[in-house]
Amino acid sequence: MKRLVLFSALLLFIGCIHSPEGEKVHEGDAVPSFEVSAGALKFRSPDDIRKGPAVLIFIDPDCKDCHEYVSVLNECEGIVVISRSEDEAKVGRFAEETGIMHEVFFKGGNAAYYLMFHSIVPRVLFVRDARIERIYAEPDVPGVVEIQQFLTD
């Protein structure tokens, strides 16, 4: 039992922070096609981001860094927050615990995340005209000013 607990803790740690080398998408690539939803709300990539800037943020409810990043997210407008965990109860607890003020898309989030990345959350993508302009990963995620400046340029 002790080994199982240690192994689970190791997997959780690896899932939050890990080397970004060998990722599936890179700056300059087109954003892959995916759909995520939360209740009746849907977000479709790239359809919903063909023109202008967009900021996509991938989180995981079990990630301590993601919990801490919510204070930044709550000061931003016009961002899309996607959970790589599709567990509705976990996402609900995350929302309650953190007070996140954005809808967290979760259905389809796991497939969307792993379509682009192997690991690391939070993960932030600056997208313009359906192309990835910039990719950020913990511990170098953008702050409020940088996010809002990108969205208004």
Side-chain angles (χ1 to χ4, degrees):
M1 181 66 172
K2 184 177 178 182
R3 287 184 194 193
L4 179 61
V5 170
L6 288 173
F7 181 71
S8 297
L10 178 62
L11 285 178
L12 180 61
F13 176 75
I14 289 171
C16 281
I17 299 173
H18 192 265
S19 172
E21 294 176 20
E23 295 300 358
K24 301 171 188 176
V25 296
H26 301 89
E27 293 174 1
D29 290 350
V31 178
S33 294
F34 65 86
E35 179 177 304
V36 290
S37 63
L41 296 176
K42 292 193 184 319
F43 175 83
R44 292 177 183 94
S45 171
D47 297 346
D48 292 338
I49 52 176
R50 288 220 185 267
K51 295 187 179 182
V55 175
L56 307 179
I57 298 152
F58 287 92
I59 57 95
D60 191 294
D62 291 328
C63 172
K64 178 181 176 272
D65 295 322
C66 297
H67 280 248
E68 292 171 2
Y69 198 48
V70 168
S71 62
V72 170
L73 303 181
N74 279 348
E75 292 190 45
C76 298
E77 294 179 19
I79 61 175
V80 178
V81 180
I82 303 167
S83 172
R84 71 177 179 184
S85 170
E86 295 190 35
D87 184 326
E88 187 172 6
K90 272 187 182 180
V91 174
R93 282 191 303 277
F94 174 83
E96 286 178 21
E97 291 169 3
T98 63
I100 192 165
M101 298 181 338
H102 300 278
E103 190 66 49
V104 179
F105 294 94
F106 62 94
K107 292 180 185 168
N110 187 275
Y113 179 83
Y114 288 106
L115 182 64
M116 295 180 268
F117 307 109
H118 295 290
S119 61
I120 306 178
V121 284
R123 179 76 74 154
V124 180
L125 284 79
F126 282 8
V127 178
R128 189 178 314 274
D129 302 325
R131 295 201 84 69
I132 300 169
E133 197 167 291
R134 182 75 199 220
I135 301 172
Y136 298 90
E138 180 62 34
D140 298 316
V141 289
V144 175
V145 171
E146 195 170 359
I147 291 171
Q148 290 305 126
Q149 186 174 25
F150 177 78
L151 287 171
T152 57
D153 281 350

